[in-house]
Amino acid sequence: MNALIVAVNKQISSELTTAAKRVGCDNIVVASDIVTAKRTVSARAFELVIVYADTLLGNGLELARIVAARGEGGVILIEAEQRGDALARRLEEEGIIVLSKPLGRTALFQAIKLVRATNNRVARLVEEKKDLLKKLDDMRMINRAKLVLIQSMGFTEEQAHRYIEKRAMDLRRSRVEVALDILKTYEV
């Protein structure tokens, strides 16, 4: 899992890097200011972004929102305790995990593991969506071919369906390939 850690303090960024490595992050980029971090996230995608909010850091919240809106990975925003609880409620809907300072290692590890689990689930859902869209496109293609057979050959819907099925079996090709052949033959 690749990660971006944004923190002004070198000791804190080092501790966050160590924690991320222990939980399975192998490609870690560290940015010490918002401008560099924004440039970095615009150039490439990260599966995990940890923003350690700091008074010198600028607007860490804005960066967290930008990354979360892109939907490419999980975002952990570490904020001061007095702001953390209020922010957590607001940012929950945007998919940003807010942790309050002072931060314990256990909470950080759990948050990173949660991001990894969520990323895995989202990746599976994206693949399922691609598969479903492909099936939908295939169905559209087959239905267009049926319509062409109905209009050109005077078939009923059942006859057109059976023709495509039988032709696919006889030629040992997919129904989509047969549908494409029909469309090439009859459509101008």
Side-chain angles (χ1 to χ4, degrees):
M1 176 160 72
N2 62 350
L4 171 66
I5 295 174
V6 185
V8 172
N9 185 308
K10 289 189 188 300
Q11 181 181 351
I12 290 171
S13 64
S14 175
E15 289 175 16
L16 293 173
T17 300
T18 301
K21 283 181 181 176
R22 284 186 60 201
V23 184
C25 295
D26 50 5
N27 185 9
I28 301 172
V29 176
V30 177
S32 60
D33 61 83
I34 290 294
V35 173
T36 303
K38 283 182 180 178
R39 198 172 324 125
T40 304
V41 296
S42 68
R44 64 185 272 207
F46 291 93
E47 295 164 303
L48 170 66
V49 176
I50 301 174
V51 180
Y52 190 87
D54 211 288
T55 52
L56 300 173
L57 187 59
N59 197 346
L61 175 60
E62 178 188 350
L63 175 66
R65 282 186 158 147
I66 289 169
V67 173
R70 288 175 52 180
E72 295 168 344
V75 182
I76 299 172
L77 177 65
I78 303 169
E79 267 290 344
E81 188 172 11
Q82 63 272 18
R83 278 191 65 183
D85 291 336
L87 272 176
R89 284 189 287 281
R90 284 196 341 233
L91 298 179
E92 189 176 86
E93 290 181 19
E94 295 178 48
I96 299 171
I97 298 170
V98 179
L99 301 176
S100 296
K101 298 179 205 172
L103 181 62
R105 282 196 169 112
T106 303
L108 180 60
F109 289 148
Q110 288 175 340
I112 294 171
K113 287 179 181 181
L114 178 64
V115 166
R116 185 172 41 195
T118 303
N119 286 347
N120 289 339
R121 184 176 177 134
V122 167
R124 278 194 309 276
L125 291 173
V126 166
E127 284 304 312
E128 286 178 27
K129 179 183 175 185
K130 285 180 188 176
D131 290 345
L132 290 172
L133 289 174
K134 171 89 171 89
K135 287 179 183 178
L136 188 60
D137 286 343
D138 290 352
M139 296 283 294
R140 285 185 184 130
M141 183 80 59
I142 292 167
N143 285 334
R144 265 186 44 216
K146 285 181 191 178
L147 183 61
V148 165
L149 289 173
I150 291 168
Q151 291 173 342
S152 300
M153 304 293 288
F155 286 7
T156 66
E157 197 274 333
E158 295 83 18
Q159 289 171 326
H161 177 79
R162 177 71 184 129
Y163 177 82
I164 292 172
E165 290 281 324
K166 183 165 178 3
R167 189 111 172 110
M169 286 185 348
D170 291 345
L171 297 174
R172 294 185 179 165
R173 296 175 69 199
S174 71
R175 293 182 309 152
V176 174
E177 291 173 320
V178 171
L180 277 170
D181 289 344
I182 291 168
L183 293 173
K184 286 178 188 173
T185 303
Y186 293 101
E187 281 190 340
V188 178

